[in-house]
């Protein structure tokens, strides 16, 4: 099967984030030109105003992104979004340790382990704690009690896998997500 000569590639036709020199304005503030080349539109969001604005509350946003869609556990390609002190952070919808959705996760203030500037998120089920910006595992907050300790021992992953994080940005009024 061959393509007709002169036909433009689909990537150039739809205009992906890397092919345009116009910068994408990230939700965290400063403007950057896309370093990764996989900026895709967030299907469930038509504008920046549609993103969850409530501070310190984890909300799910359906992206419909093929890379995030999994028919068994994430059919809509949902990601978690949280706003902390006016900055919006985006990360996986489920805990990397126990695979439970992070809908009731606790948003915690920064500490020395996160450089004093990045908030943390703690899974309400297994108490695994992550740096919200980088996804790195940090010291668990504890306080899980007897049942929580038992659950953590049985359900959590043995390795300290990082929580996948994603950049959110805006260009021409459209919300984009930068996928690996």
């Amino acid at each position: 099967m061959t393509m007709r000569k002169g036909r433009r590639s689909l990537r150039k036709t739809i205009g992906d984030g890397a092919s345009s020199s116009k910068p994408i304005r990230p939700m965290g503030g400063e403007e950057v030109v896309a370093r990764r080349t996989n900026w895709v539109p967030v299907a469930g969001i038509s504008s920046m105003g549609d993103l969850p604005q409530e501070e310190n509350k984890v909300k799910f946003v359906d992206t419909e992104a093929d890379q995030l869609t999994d028919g068994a556990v994430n059919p809509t390609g949902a990601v978690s979004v949280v706003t902390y002190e006016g900055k919006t952070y985006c990360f996986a919808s489920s805990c990397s340790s126990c695979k439970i959705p992070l809908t009731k996760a606790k948003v915690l203030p920064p500490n020395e382990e996160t450089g004093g500037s990045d908030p943390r998120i703690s899974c309400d089920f297994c108490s695994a704690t992550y740096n919200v910006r980088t996804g790195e595992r940090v010291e668990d907050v504890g306080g899980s009690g007897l049942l929580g300790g038992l659950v953590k021992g049985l359900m959590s992953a043995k390795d300290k896998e990082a929580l996948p994080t994603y950049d959110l940005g805006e260009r021409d009024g459209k919300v984009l997500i930068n996928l690996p």
Side-chain angles (χ1 to χ4, degrees):
M1 177 157 102
T2 61
M3 292 181 63
R4 289 186 322 185
K5 190 172 185 174
R7 181 176 172 191
R8 295 180 64 184
S9 75
L10 179 61
R11 185 172 300 253
K12 289 180 183 173
T13 304
I14 62 173
D16 87 85
S19 64
S20 174
S21 61
K22 187 173 183 178
I24 295 172
R25 188 169 54 95
M27 300 296 158
E30 70 279 350
E31 287 194 11
V32 295
V33 176
R35 285 189 251 330
R36 284 188 262 173
T37 60
N38 202 15
W39 286 96
V40 296
V42 177
I45 304 290
S46 60
S47 73
M48 301 267 291
D50 292 342
L51 283 171
Q53 302 297 317
E54 189 176 352
E55 288 275 328
N56 303 332
K57 189 87 167 166
V58 177
K59 298 287 185 183
F60 281 0
V61 173
D62 296 331
T63 66
E64 302 297 334
D66 291 338
Q67 297 94 324
L68 299 176
T69 302
D70 179 346
V73 294
N74 194 358
T76 61
V79 293
S80 299
V81 175
V82 67
T83 300
Y84 183 84
E85 293 185 353
K87 291 184 178 180
T88 302
Y89 299 92
C90 181
F91 48 91
S93 60
S94 297
C95 175
S96 293
S97 181
C98 68
K99 310 303 183 211
I100 300 293
L102 292 166
T103 52
K104 296 181 181 178
K106 296 177 190 139
V107 180
L108 304 168
N111 65 3
E112 292 120 20
E113 207 172 356
T114 63
S117 61
D118 299 330
R120 300 169 292 150
I121 189 155
S122 176
C123 176
D124 66 316
F125 193 71
C126 72
S127 296
T129 307
Y130 304 92
N131 178 322
V132 172
R133 187 181 58 81
T134 66
E136 294 174 348
R137 280 289 296 264
V138 294
E139 186 175 333
D140 293 348
V141 291
S144 56
L146 178 62
L147 181 59
L150 180 63
V151 168
K152 185 175 181 177
L154 293 174
M155 300 284 294
S156 65
K158 299 297 179 215
D159 57 344
K160 303 289 185 185
E161 188 175 337
L163 183 69
T165 60
Y166 311 102
D167 297 324
L168 285 177
E170 182 270 340
R171 182 184 351 189
D172 299 329
K174 292 183 180 178
V175 177
L176 306 169
I177 186 168
N178 197 0
L179 300 172

